[in-house]
Amino acid sequence: VALGRAIGLADPAIATGLREAHWPGRLEMVHTALGDVLLDAAHNLDGAQAVASALSARGLSPSGVALVFGAMADKDAPSMLTVLGPLAAHRVYVPPEGRKAADPAALAELMPGQIAGHAAQALAMGRKAVGPHGLVVVTGSIFLVGAARALLLGLERDPAVAL
C-alpha cells in the first residue's frame, strides 16, 4: 500500500490490486481428482503460524489432514513442526531439492511421521493416509512447494537452484 501511494496510485486501484492479487504457493488450494492439496511456502515460524491459523479456521479434524513437510537445514524446522504438527494426524517428511535439507529422520524423531524420498512419493503417501476427502498440506520449503505444485498441475519446471 505504501509503495502504491508513493508512486501515485489512487486508493481504489490499490484496493483492487490487493483484492485481486494471486500468489501461487501461498495458501493455494489445488483441487485434484484424488483430493484437495493446500500449498504454502511457509519456511519460517511466522509462515507456519499463518498456515496453522488458516487450517484452524477451516475447523478440520487432524485425522483428515496429512502434513507433507520438508525444510532446509538452515531453517527452524522444530519450531515450525511444533505449530503445524498437531493439526495433522498424519505426517510425511521429505527432503526438498536445492540446498542442504533438514534430515527427514530427525524431523520424524521430533514428531512421528513417515519418510519419503521425493515430493511425488510424499504426496502419494499423504493422500493414501487421508483418502480422497482429506486434505494434504504441503509446506516448510519454497523448493518443496514448487516441486509439489509442478507435479499437481502438470507444469514443467527448472531444476532447483540454490545460492
Side-chain angles (χ1 to χ4, degrees):
V1 171
L3 178 60
R5 288 182 177 149
I7 63 172
L9 293 178
D11 284 348
I14 293 170
T16 298
L18 290 171
R19 185 175 54 254
E20 295 180 8
H22 174 69
W23 193 351
R26 253 328 158 191
L27 293 176
E28 180 181 11
M29 186 66 73
V30 178
H31 305 286
T32 75
L34 300 175
D36 291 344
V37 179
L38 179 68
L39 302 172
D40 195 284
H43 59 277
N44 57 37
L45 182 56
D46 289 337
Q49 289 171 333
V51 173
S53 178
L55 287 174
S56 294
R58 291 175 178 266
L60 302 172
S61 167
S63 64
V65 179
L67 177 67
V68 172
F69 184 87
M72 294 299 157
D74 63 343
K75 301 297 180 180
D76 187 3
S79 292
M80 290 187 280
L81 278 178
T82 298
V83 170
L84 294 168
L87 300 175
H90 314 279
R91 290 171 290 279
V92 180
Y93 301 110
V94 58
E97 299 173 8
R99 299 188 321 264
K100 180 175 170 52
D103 178 15
L107 297 175
E109 287 181 20
L110 294 172
M111 192 164 290
Q114 298 177 289
I115 296 171
H118 50 80
Q121 182 184 28
L123 285 168
M125 292 166 73
R127 178 57 55 207
K128 183 177 179 183
V130 296
H133 302 294
L135 180 65
V136 175
V137 178
V138 181
T139 193
S141 164
I142 294 169
F143 291 102
L144 176 59
V145 167
R149 190 171 192 277
L151 288 165
L152 293 167
L153 299 176
L155 302 174
E156 289 187 37
R157 72 180 191 97
D158 294 326
V161 176
L163 303 174

